[in-house]
Amino acid sequence: RALAAGSTPRVCVGETLAEREAGESEAVVKRQVAAVIHAVAHCTSEIVVAYEPVWAIGTGKTATPEMAQAVHAVLRKQIAAATQHPERVKILYGGSMNAANAASLLAQPDIDGGLIGGASLKAADFLQIVAAAQL
């Protein structure tokens, strides 16, 4: 419906803290993305995916750059197998990205950008995130 209305679908995936601690992060996000791919198989290359660990939403906690990269790499591989144009699919990190951690998260090879929440409400912090994204 979003595509029909001229909007780009943004799909958020992520695991709970219990799932992360149980070592299930990869399986959880793969299952979530598989459901999306199944629903929009004809237009998978037109979506934006955001990895947003549930345990990081609004908590101030964030995945380390290495943790986020590992999940993003899994998502990129899964998306590449599902579409002829995987380069069109942007994968964002959305788990409490802020001015202090943006540069290290955005430096990861499979993180294409950020889905900014609370940090977007602080102009100075948001400008630092924007600057980090332009490097």
Side-chain angles (χ1 to χ4, degrees):
R1 291 185 185 200
L3 287 169
S7 182
T8 301
R10 286 130 181 111
V11 177
C12 294
V13 300
E15 77 284 9
T16 65
L17 184 57
E19 290 166 333
R20 169 152 287 280
E21 290 174 345
E24 298 173 355
S25 297
E26 183 176 319
V28 169
V29 298
K30 284 176 76 174
R31 183 175 59 247
Q32 292 168 344
V33 169
V36 171
I37 290 169
H38 177 73
V40 297
H42 64 286
C43 56
T44 299
S45 64
E46 305 305 316
I47 66 173
V48 171
V49 176
Y51 168 53
E52 188 161 20
V54 176
W55 52 269
I57 299 172
T59 65
K61 295 179 181 179
T62 189
T64 66
E66 296 78 16
M67 290 165 56
Q69 168 56 31
V71 173
H72 278 244
V74 166
L75 294 172
R76 188 157 315 278
K77 183 176 179 182
Q78 184 176 10
I79 291 164
T83 181
Q84 292 181 321
H85 300 287
E87 73 283 355
R88 293 184 190 170
V89 180
K90 301 301 178 203
I91 307 175
L92 312 178
Y93 178 75
S96 294
M97 185 180 282
N98 58 46
N101 63 25
S104 59
L105 286 163
L106 294 170
Q108 301 304 308
D110 289 305
I111 298 179
D112 296 321
L115 184 65
I116 313 305
S120 69
L121 301 175
K122 301 172 189 168
D125 288 356
F126 187 68
L127 289 173
Q128 284 185 288
I129 295 168
V130 170
Q134 294 175 340
L135 295 177

